[in-house]
Amino acid sequence: MIYETKTVLVLRRDLAGWQAANVAAFLAGGLAGVHPHIVGEPYRDGAGRDYTPLIREPVFVLGGTLEELRRTHQRALARALKPAIYIEPMFATTNDADNRAAVAAAAPDALDFVGIGVHGPRKIVDKVTNGLKFLS
């Protein structure tokens, strides 16, 4: 099935494995919170045990430099997408309030991105992420 929408996470390529996994989880959760239609139905195994739903469509994970993440951010904003963001100072916090304070303290044109998540119409998301390659 081809979805009309697309979900992409762009992670800075120099992150440690645990950082990339953590940032990806936060970004995907943020996008699912704003776009509940991307969440599928609950799962049930053969014994009847229930499990939570998952994001229903593929999530593409791309990599980039800080400059490429800043470009992706600007492209998303220019196309009226509301991106999920994670910045470097958030690694030093331990709660959501401090995360929001870290973002609020940063100058908008100097955000030290380590990850950006975008969801929207497929063609628009493709333009926002044009030139980026899969994270390896």
Side-chain angles (χ1 to χ4, degrees):
M1 173 176 205
I2 300 207
Y3 294 96
E4 293 180 15
T5 59
K6 190 170 190 177
T7 302
V8 177
L9 307 180
V10 183
L11 306 180
R12 211 171 64 200
R13 289 192 178 277
D14 64 347
L15 297 179
W18 73 267
Q19 290 174 315
N22 192 39
V23 171
F26 275 108
L27 295 174
L31 292 173
V34 173
H35 304 283
H37 64 273
I38 68 174
V39 178
E41 296 296 321
Y43 289 77
R44 179 172 287 166
D45 68 19
R49 288 182 291 251
D50 291 326
Y51 300 92
T52 67
L54 301 175
I55 293 175
R56 68 180 174 92
E57 61 187 66
V59 176
F60 297 88
V61 182
L62 308 177
T65 63
L66 174 58
E67 288 310 313
E68 289 171 321
L69 270 73
R70 285 183 174 153
R71 182 185 71 211
T72 301
H73 177 251
Q74 289 304 310
R75 287 177 176 175
L77 295 178
R79 288 168 175 83
L81 296 180
K82 182 187 249 180
I85 65 169
Y86 200 104
I87 61 173
E88 181 84 29
M90 292 166 68
F91 285 131
T93 66
T94 59
N95 61 74
D96 193 45
D98 289 342
N99 285 346
R100 285 193 310 280
V103 172
D109 58 346
L111 288 165
D112 191 7
F113 293 112
V114 295
I116 297 175
V118 292
H119 173 80
R122 176 175 291 282
K123 289 182 180 183
I124 292 175
V125 172
D126 285 345
K127 288 179 182 179
V128 167
T129 59
N130 186 42
L132 298 173
K133 305 290 182 217
F134 283 104
L135 186 65
S136 55

